Amino acid sequence: MTRHVEHVMGTVFSFDVRDADADDAVARAVAWLHHVDAVFSTYRPDSAISRLGRGEIELPDCPPEVSHVLAMCAQAEHDTNGYFTMYPGGRLDPSGLVKGWAIEEASRILSEAGARRHCVNGGGDIQLGPDPSPWRIGIAHPARPGALCTVVTGHDLAIATSGSAERGPHILDPHTGRAADALLSITLVGPRLTAVDAFATAAFAMGDAARDWVAEIDDLEAFAVTASGDTWRTKGF
């Protein structure tokens, strides 16, 4: 069993690996997260994404994963009818997808090393490994500190929550430019965190309209706490 906590990408990542002899795999996954931070951090002026955003370099000058991530962002923007954007506030910032992608890739590193029973948690966004032993993941209530609003049980799952409880109103509706305020939080569950995390941000911006949107997407479910304190969930949650 290996447990490790790493401060990177402006948040806290935790690794809970229930397989033996996983230290080397965890070390490789941690090194991957630091690489992602070096390439994609918008807070580091020397990162490729910062330099690209300022026009100092062009896409062919960037590491190859930059074009891959920007292509996924463009697809997410299409899939969410523009509620996901890689230009929040008008500047290049793919962070809404990068963290989920980084966590999913860290999980893949562990699985390919034989450490299949694991949970990788980055700031509350989670990828569970493919080992069939189930995990129970509590989802914090956005208006009741210390309380849970629901529990997700399973394996080989991605779980992402977007909300305003910790950072205040910070997710904008790209169509209006105003902070989204219809929901206090929304949790999405699906197979892979790259899409689930990006979609969670978009779903929060959609507000209650997210319920019907999520219901149309295969292998995606949602649980939401509204601004009035009520809750709703999609059929398969």
Side-chain angles (χ1 to χ4, degrees):
M1 179 183 296
T2 300
R3 288 179 176 165
H4 179 80
V5 174
E6 189 76 12
H7 294 260
V8 62
M9 297 174 63
T11 190
V12 178
F13 286 76
S14 64
F15 293 80
D16 188 346
V17 185
R18 304 296 173 86
D19 301 277
D21 301 322
D23 290 357
D24 288 346
V26 170
R28 290 198 298 273
V30 168
W32 158 252
L33 296 178
H34 282 281
H35 170 72
V36 171
D37 190 37
V39 173
F40 289 99
S41 174
T42 58
Y43 296 98
R44 299 174 63 156
D46 61 337
S47 72
I49 208 68
S50 293
R51 297 181 66 205
L52 181 65
R54 292 194 302 268
E56 296 175 3
I57 57 175
E58 297 186 1
L59 196 55
D61 303 315
C62 297
E65 54 264 41
V66 173
S67 59
H68 177 59
V69 163
L70 296 187
M72 290 191 294
C73 285
Q75 185 64 49
E77 183 170 351
H78 174 270
D79 293 342
T80 62
N81 302 313
Y83 279 98
F84 176 88
T85 176
M86 68 178 112
Y87 290 96
R91 71 185 185 101
L92 178 62
D93 182 359
S95 302
L97 182 141
V98 165
K99 187 176 71 167
W101 168 71
I103 295 168
E104 182 182 332
E105 287 295 301
S107 172
R108 181 187 59 79
I109 290 169
L110 295 176
S111 294
E112 290 184 353
R116 296 169 58 83
R117 190 181 182 196
H118 64 258
C119 172
V120 183
N121 183 334
D125 297 326
I126 293 170
Q127 182 76 54
L128 301 176
D131 186 275
S133 302
W135 295 78
R136 287 174 54 82
I137 307 297
I139 307 300
H141 197 291
R144 302 174 190 166
L148 300 179
C149 57
T150 191
V151 175
V152 176
T153 301
H155 69 279
D156 205 13
L157 288 176
I159 305 159
T161 299
S162 286
S164 57
E166 293 188 4
R167 296 174 56 190
H170 67 285
I171 298 175
L172 302 181
D173 178 342
H175 299 295
T176 66
R178 296 192 295 269
D181 58 6
L183 303 177
L184 293 182
S185 73
I186 186 165
T187 298
L188 297 191
V189 177
R192 297 292 173 260
L193 193 56
T194 302
V196 170
D197 193 20
F199 286 177
T201 303
F204 187 85
M206 291 178 195
D208 287 319
R211 186 174 189 173
D212 291 337
W213 176 74
V214 171
E216 294 297 318
I217 301 176
D218 292 340
D219 298 323
L220 191 68
E221 303 294 343
F223 176 93
V225 180
T226 70
S228 64
D230 294 329
T231 64
W232 57 254
R233 68 188 69 201
T234 54
K235 184 177 179 180
F237 187 87

Short mmCIF file of all heavy atoms in Angstrom, two decimals, residues 169-181 205:
data_model
loop_
_atom_site.label_atom_id
_atom_site.label_comp_id
_atom_site.label_asym_id
_atom_site.label_seq_id
_atom_site.Cartn_x
_atom_site.Cartn_y
_atom_site.Cartn_z
N PRO A 169 -18.04 32.66 -6.43
CA PRO A 169 -18.47 32.66 -7.83
C PRO A 169 -17.29 32.93 -8.77
O PRO A 169 -16.82 34.06 -8.86
CB PRO A 169 -19.51 33.78 -7.90
CG PRO A 169 -19.90 34.05 -6.48
CD PRO A 169 -18.69 33.73 -5.66
N HIS A 170 -16.81 31.90 -9.45
CA HIS A 170 -15.66 32.06 -10.33
C HIS A 170 -15.84 31.41 -11.69
O HIS A 170 -15.01 31.60 -12.57
CB HIS A 170 -14.40 31.48 -9.67
CG HIS A 170 -14.44 29.99 -9.51
ND1 HIS A 170 -15.20 29.36 -8.56
CD2 HIS A 170 -13.82 29.00 -10.20
CE1 HIS A 170 -15.05 28.05 -8.66
NE2 HIS A 170 -14.22 27.81 -9.65
N ILE A 171 -16.92 30.64 -11.86
CA ILE A 171 -17.18 30.01 -13.15
C ILE A 171 -18.16 30.89 -13.91
O ILE A 171 -19.29 31.13 -13.46
CB ILE A 171 -17.75 28.59 -12.97
CG1 ILE A 171 -16.73 27.70 -12.24
CG2 ILE A 171 -18.11 27.98 -14.32
CD1 ILE A 171 -17.24 26.32 -11.92
N LEU A 172 -17.73 31.38 -15.07
CA LEU A 172 -18.56 32.28 -15.85
C LEU A 172 -19.37 31.51 -16.88
O LEU A 172 -18.93 30.48 -17.41
CB LEU A 172 -17.68 33.30 -16.58
CG LEU A 172 -16.78 34.18 -15.72
CD1 LEU A 172 -15.99 35.14 -16.61
CD2 LEU A 172 -17.59 34.95 -14.68
N ASP A 173 -20.56 32.02 -17.16
CA ASP A 173 -21.32 31.57 -18.31
C ASP A 173 -20.71 32.26 -19.53
O ASP A 173 -20.81 33.48 -19.66
CB ASP A 173 -22.79 31.97 -18.14
CG ASP A 173 -23.65 31.56 -19.34
OD1 ASP A 173 -23.09 31.30 -20.43
OD2 ASP A 173 -24.88 31.54 -19.19
N PRO A 174 -20.05 31.52 -20.42
CA PRO A 174 -19.38 32.17 -21.56
C PRO A 174 -20.33 32.94 -22.47
O PRO A 174 -19.91 33.83 -23.20
CB PRO A 174 -18.73 31.00 -22.30
CG PRO A 174 -18.65 29.90 -21.32
CD PRO A 174 -19.84 30.07 -20.43
N HIS A 175 -21.63 32.59 -22.43
CA HIS A 175 -22.59 33.24 -23.31
C HIS A 175 -23.05 34.60 -22.77
O HIS A 175 -23.53 35.43 -23.54
CB HIS A 175 -23.79 32.32 -23.53
CG HIS A 175 -23.44 31.02 -24.18
ND1 HIS A 175 -22.95 30.93 -25.46
CD2 HIS A 175 -23.48 29.75 -23.70
CE1 HIS A 175 -22.72 29.65 -25.76
NE2 HIS A 175 -23.03 28.92 -24.71
N THR A 176 -22.94 34.80 -21.46
CA THR A 176 -23.38 36.06 -20.86
C THR A 176 -22.23 36.85 -20.24
O THR A 176 -22.36 38.05 -20.02
CB THR A 176 -24.43 35.81 -19.77
OG1 THR A 176 -23.82 35.10 -18.67
CG2 THR A 176 -25.60 34.99 -20.32
N GLY A 177 -21.13 36.16 -19.91
CA GLY A 177 -20.02 36.81 -19.24
C GLY A 177 -20.24 36.99 -17.75
O GLY A 177 -19.37 37.54 -17.05
N ARG A 178 -21.37 36.51 -17.24
CA ARG A 178 -21.67 36.65 -15.81
C ARG A 178 -21.37 35.35 -15.06
O ARG A 178 -21.39 34.26 -15.66
CB ARG A 178 -23.14 37.03 -15.60
CG ARG A 178 -23.51 38.40 -16.17
CD ARG A 178 -24.88 38.83 -15.68
NE ARG A 178 -25.93 37.95 -16.20
CZ ARG A 178 -26.59 38.16 -17.33
NH1 ARG A 178 -26.29 39.19 -18.10
NH2 ARG A 178 -27.54 37.32 -17.72
N ALA A 179 -21.12 35.48 -13.77
CA ALA A 179 -20.86 34.30 -12.96
C ALA A 179 -22.11 33.42 -12.88
O ALA A 179 -23.22 33.92 -12.66
CB ALA A 179 -20.43 34.71 -11.56
N ALA A 180 -21.93 32.11 -13.08
CA ALA A 180 -23.04 31.17 -12.97
C ALA A 180 -23.45 31.04 -11.51
O ALA A 180 -22.59 30.86 -10.64
CB ALA A 180 -22.64 29.82 -13.54
N ASP A 181 -24.76 31.14 -11.23
CA ASP A 181 -25.19 31.12 -9.83
C ASP A 181 -26.44 30.29 -9.59
O ASP A 181 -27.00 30.31 -8.49
CB ASP A 181 -25.42 32.55 -9.32
CG ASP A 181 -26.46 33.31 -10.15
OD1 ASP A 181 -27.09 32.70 -11.05
OD2 ASP A 181 -26.65 34.52 -9.89
N ALA A 205 -21.88 25.93 -15.44
CA ALA A 205 -22.23 27.16 -16.14
C ALA A 205 -23.64 27.09 -16.73
O ALA A 205 -24.34 28.10 -16.81
CB ALA A 205 -21.21 27.46 -17.23
#
